[in-house]
Amino acid sequence: MGEPEKPTTVSITNQVEQILRRIGTNSKVEGVVVINNEGIPIKSTLDSTSTVQYSAEISQLADRAKCLVRDLDPTNKLTFVRIASKKHEILVAPDIDYIMIVLQKTKKQGSAED
Amino acid sequence: MTYEGVKNYRAELEETLKRLSEHDGVQGLVVIDKEGRVSQTTFDQQYTKKILSNISGFTSQTRNVVRDLDPMNDLSFVRVRSNKTEILIAPEEDYILVVIQQPSQD
């Protein structure tokens, strides 16, 4: 009853834009994708095909990681996932309303420590 | 491998795992063989079962994601951080090494 629920939206404020830009200017970073809690990309520095691919695959994986953590300890909560592969690293930072995905070169490929 | 070779290998393996498990902040470790069975563990049976049932599947899924995104790429390591723990997963050809430790200061 009453008003229909408003859909949760994440507005990209100036501050957020600045943070995303700062992350994106790191020389090791190859891409940044921000997806909302429905797995829909709301910001990306990758091309549209890659964006859609990453959004779909990583949102599912993040969910699985959340379950993994809670199954091992119901009082625990996922904070971060780092997937290292031969070619690059995928960093996944989940939050209540969104998931931030950063694609970066592996430590071996990058220069100094960050 | 000769019998002596196997014995030495086994001793070295156990020593390495012991050293790992006694490292600062490490809560324990599990080695899962390629058949999906536990080959070594420092946790109790109940927790080990939980780890086995959750982590094997998660590791396969992560590996598939990496390959789906780029068929020429392959998974080399996974770190799952949470408030209380950090799960390190090292997937190798013949086994998966899982270490659970306190979250490191990155």
Side-chain angles (χ1 to χ4, degrees):
Chain A
M1 293 299 271
E3 285 181 24
E5 252 182 42
K6 284 191 191 152
T8 42
T9 50
V10 181
S11 56
I12 306 283
T13 62
N14 270 339
Q15 198 188 28
V16 174
E17 286 276 2
Q18 266 180 30
I19 293 171
L20 291 179
R21 211 175 302 134
R22 181 169 54 81
I23 293 173
T25 53
N26 182 316
S27 59
K28 276 167 58 178
V29 173
E30 295 175 344
V32 180
V33 181
V34 180
I35 61 182
N36 67 9
N37 51 15
E38 283 158 21
I40 298 170
I42 52 178
K43 182 83 188 171
S44 174
T45 63
L46 298 176
D47 60 80
S48 48
T49 314
S50 303
T51 300
V52 168
Q53 266 193 309
Y54 273 89
S55 305
E57 300 272 9
I58 303 292
S59 59
Q60 272 194 330
L61 200 60
D63 270 345
R64 190 71 190 265
K66 274 187 198 154
C67 291
L68 165 66
V69 164
R70 275 204 297 255
D71 283 348
L72 291 181
D73 179 355
T75 65
N76 202 1
K77 193 176 156 219
L78 178 73
T79 55
F80 202 79
V81 186
R82 203 184 257 260
I83 301 161
S85 61
K86 286 198 301 224
K87 296 188 178 182
H88 47 231
E89 256 188 299
I90 305 170
L91 314 181
V92 184
D95 203 276
I96 310 167
D97 300 318
Y98 62 82
I99 300 175
M100 179 155 78
I101 304 163
V102 174
L103 194 61
Q104 71 175 17
K105 299 187 188 131
T106 58
K107 278 190 185 153
K108 288 183 193 151
Q109 293 169 326
S111 45
E113 312 258 321
D114 52 336
Chain B
M1 243 194 226
T2 61
Y3 177 66
E4 279 302 312
V6 173
K7 266 197 345 188
N8 288 336
Y9 170 79
R10 187 89 195 159
E12 206 183 299
L13 172 68
E14 288 192 5
E15 211 183 284
T16 304
L17 293 180
K18 184 162 177 281
R19 183 169 51 82
L20 274 178
S21 67
E22 288 172 0
H23 198 270
D24 245 4
V26 172
Q27 293 173 3
L29 56 81
V30 182
V31 179
I32 303 171
D33 71 21
K34 58 182 171 187
E35 266 99 51
R37 293 180 309 224
V38 173
S39 92
Q40 299 271 352
T41 179
T42 62
F43 289 110
D44 62 65
Q45 211 186 41
Q46 204 187 25
Y47 199 64
T48 302
K49 260 192 182 171
K50 270 201 208 177
I51 292 173
L52 183 65
S53 60
N54 277 290
I55 292 194
S56 306
F58 176 75
T59 309
S60 305
Q61 193 181 348
T62 308
R63 194 185 267 124
N64 289 339
V65 166
V66 168
R67 294 214 188 121
D68 283 348
L69 292 170
D70 179 355
M72 306 290 283
N73 201 4
D74 203 5
L75 182 65
S76 50
F77 201 78
V78 191
R79 258 184 209 255
V80 180
R81 280 187 73 138
S82 56
N83 286 334
K84 301 184 185 179
T85 62
E86 189 170 20
I87 304 168
L88 313 179
I89 303 171
E92 302 289 331
E93 210 182 291
D94 299 324
Y95 61 87
I96 302 171
L97 171 63
V98 181
V99 173
I100 301 188
Q101 63 179 18
Q102 275 153 30
S104 57
Q105 306 300 318
D106 255 349

